[in-house]
Amino acid sequence: MVICLFASLAHADGLAEPKGPVILTISGAITQTNGPNVARFDREMLEALERRIITANTPWFDAKHDFEGPLAAAVLDAVGAQGSTMRVFALNDYASDVPVADVREFPVIFATHLDGEMMSVREKGPLFLIYPFDEFPALFNEVYFGRSVWQIARIEVIE
């Protein structure tokens, strides 16, 4: 009976287990996990976090589009991120270092939807890091374009 109680308390302190296919894995300097030294998210878990729509022009599309998804800061808060940098990896292992300060200063999102439709891998999904380019025009430059990773599969939080 005592063992069950301790197991229940340990689970209550950690991140919930994904019920569907894992689309994002976060490792590194994090305090909340649901696997061996990792936090795994399915789509439902990401959809439950604080969300935002960013309407913006980007260099990757010909017109202004609506990007919707969880705030990157909410994702970092969910895993108890303790680092200063996110190394964001795409499905093809392309990686970019994104300062955590970016997601604390600006409402950056991990877009899961483009114009109301779920983003497929073909459409730069399942996750696409999007800055609010139109809201903060100073972000519309090569530095932030390079940090805007699409087809995100995993993140390593670095101290």
Side-chain angles (χ1 to χ4, degrees), residues 69-137:
L71 286 166
V75 174
L76 292 181
D77 290 346
V79 299
Q82 302 293 306
S84 61
T85 303
M86 295 186 297
R87 183 159 294 145
V88 182
F89 293 89
L91 292 169
N92 67 359
D93 285 331
Y94 169 82
S96 182
D97 286 349
V98 177
V100 169
D102 281 5
V103 305
R104 299 295 181 196
E105 183 175 351
F106 305 106
V108 177
I109 64 170
F110 289 112
T112 57
H113 290 76
L114 175 66
D115 296 328
E117 298 292 325
M118 193 177 314
M119 295 177 72
S120 68
V121 171
R122 175 169 285 206
E123 297 164 330
K124 302 188 180 339
L127 300 169
F128 187 176
L129 192 146
I130 294 287
Y131 283 83
F133 295 118
D134 286 14
E135 196 173 338
F136 299 92

